Amino acid sequence: NITLDPGAATLLAQLHAAGYKAYAVGGCVRDSLLGKAPADWDLCTSARPEQVLLLFGEEQCIPTGLKHGTVTVRQGDSFYEITTFRVEGAYSDGRHPDKVDFVADVTQDLARRDFTINAMAYNEKEGLVDPFGGRADLAARQVRAVGDPARRFAEDSLRILRLYRFGAREEFSLDPATRAAALALRGGLKNISAERILQEVSKLLLAPRPGRWLEPALMEVIFPALDPLGQPGRFSACCAAIDAAPADLPVRFAALLGSLGREGAGQALRSLRPSNELLKQVSELAAEWDFTPAGTPAARRVQARHLLARLSPPQTARLVALGRARTGGPEWNALGETLETLTNENACCRIGQLAIGGQELQALGFGPGRALGQALAALLEQVLDEKIPNEKAALLTAARALLAHTQEER
Ligand code: ATP
Ligand code: MG
């Protein structure tokens, strides 16, 4: 009951007609058996990369990873990775195999893959090739290493994170021996590049309800400042908030790290070399960790205006989503509605939106430079506090009062 995608079926038929063995493999087989549409179809074959190039013609091929046996082939509007059956040499650095050897047999290729659910191949002639019990593990809803888990995690520590990532994504349990080995070898994560850790942690956080798979002992290695083992109460509250939050990466990261405050969260995330955008989004949300929505509509409007002065509208929406996830309180819904109303009204929350500008203030007698900036900021403050409307006459009156006040002070 696997239906190959037409492009993949065409490529497999061509490889078979040329006398090679060939299969769909890995994630696409797993997803098909789970009844999900695969994101992409990876193929594996006994044909050597140069034979794949020759068969499909150089114009159809991108030699993406010839050394590792991978050729990307265009078929119709789609691209397919075709990788020669291979085994990997020793991993002396816990990251990259020292060399890869091409082999003739698909079972050997499946044996180098990380988990049984990822180590199945399929074609229409032979049906499912499943030497490690992947289908049984799918039925049991568990993630289990292929072969000896300790050896597999020692070869490549990234698999430790992949274990939790696949568990969280499918909401599968982790085979106990596999989990025990992952925990025992978690120190190996320090050999993995920040970029790859960020990628895996991000995928983990974007699972539907990842809380149960955020292993405290692993998070301790990746985010020591979070101290999940020392502060289990705080950590499990974060996990509950993550589960309740929408699957939006900045919100999920902020739910995880926000209790560390702006500085702490920023530092923790920076260790994974995030994009500037993600870092800014998470830091801003962490800075608002103690934000509490006001109780009355009038106070809420003022509060929401100040919020829009500090944060972009999408960031205020994230703050509301985070607050709702953390407390579930109706006051967050009310704040969300107020923010929306103000945004739709195009309510003035920034100096640039004030109904008067520097020229008018200078005409009143405000000196140029700093004094002018301070006056604009003071006027904005009054508008944010809803003490005066954002109208020219009201702002000019307030500006005159400011001027009189500063002259008095001199
Ligand atoms: P996704 O839908 O997230 O892409 P996937 O199963 O396709 O899931 P990939 O990371 O794209 O995952 O890897 C493709 C396949 O390559 C996996 O199914 C697995 O068989 C194998 N694989 C990938 N990374 C590793 C690894 N670090 N160690 C062993 N095998 C791996
Ligand atoms: Mg994939």
Side-chain angles (χ1 to χ4, degrees), residues 96-323:
H96 308 107
D98 298 335
K99 58 169 183 153
V100 308
D101 285 317
F102 298 135
V103 295
D105 175 27
V106 68
T107 300
Q108 282 176 282
D109 181 88
L110 294 173
R112 64 147 176 112
R113 293 171 184 271
D114 46 9
F115 306 113
T116 63
I117 59 172
N118 290 345
M120 293 180 276
Y122 173 85
N123 68 26
E124 284 165 345
K125 283 195 301 191
E126 292 169 59
L128 191 69
V129 183
D130 177 20
F132 304 105
R135 183 149 60 170
D137 282 333
L138 280 182
R141 300 174 59 79
Q142 72 167 344
V143 191
R144 184 163 61 90
V146 171
D148 172 29
R151 221 191 86 206
R152 306 310 311 286
F153 292 131
E155 282 171 358
D156 177 5
S157 309
L158 191 71
R159 292 173 187 156
I160 295 169
L161 282 174
R162 288 174 60 88
L163 170 69
Y164 288 87
R165 194 246 285 184
F166 285 111
R169 189 169 70 183
E170 307 305 338
E171 311 210 13
F172 280 10
S173 61
L174 309 183
D175 161 62
T178 301
R179 173 165 175 255
L183 284 176
L185 292 163
R186 66 187 185 277
L189 281 175
K190 65 179 180 300
N191 299 321
I192 303 293
S193 75
E195 289 76 5
R196 293 178 79 200
I197 293 192
L198 178 64
Q199 201 177 27
E200 286 300 323
V201 170
S202 299
K203 288 183 178 177
L204 174 52
L205 284 177
L206 289 176
R209 293 175 65 83
R212 200 150 67 79
W213 290 269
L214 294 174
E215 180 80 72
L218 264 199
M219 291 298 122
E220 184 87 25
V221 175
I222 301 172
F223 300 118
L226 210 50
D227 195 17
L229 297 173
Q231 306 209 43
R234 180 178 77 173
F235 185 68
S236 57
C238 290
C239 290
I242 290 169
D243 284 351
D248 177 39
L249 197 58
V251 176
R252 291 252 165 121
F253 261 121
L256 180 67
L257 301 174
S259 64
L260 300 173
R262 174 189 274 274
E263 278 306 302
Q267 256 176 35
L269 189 56
R270 219 174 285 124
S271 69
L272 300 187
R273 304 199 192 296
S275 68
N276 288 334
E277 189 187 23
L278 181 64
L279 181 63
K280 178 167 188 268
Q281 290 167 331
V282 175
S283 303
E284 278 183 357
L285 294 171
E288 307 288 347
W289 190 251
D290 294 322
F291 184 96
T292 326
T296 67
R300 207 154 45 227
R301 266 184 76 89
V302 169
Q303 191 184 39
R305 276 187 187 262
H306 279 276
L307 208 48
L308 285 164
R310 296 199 291 277
L311 302 176
S312 70
Q315 279 288 86
T316 63
R318 292 196 179 98
L319 181 66
V320 169
L322 178 61

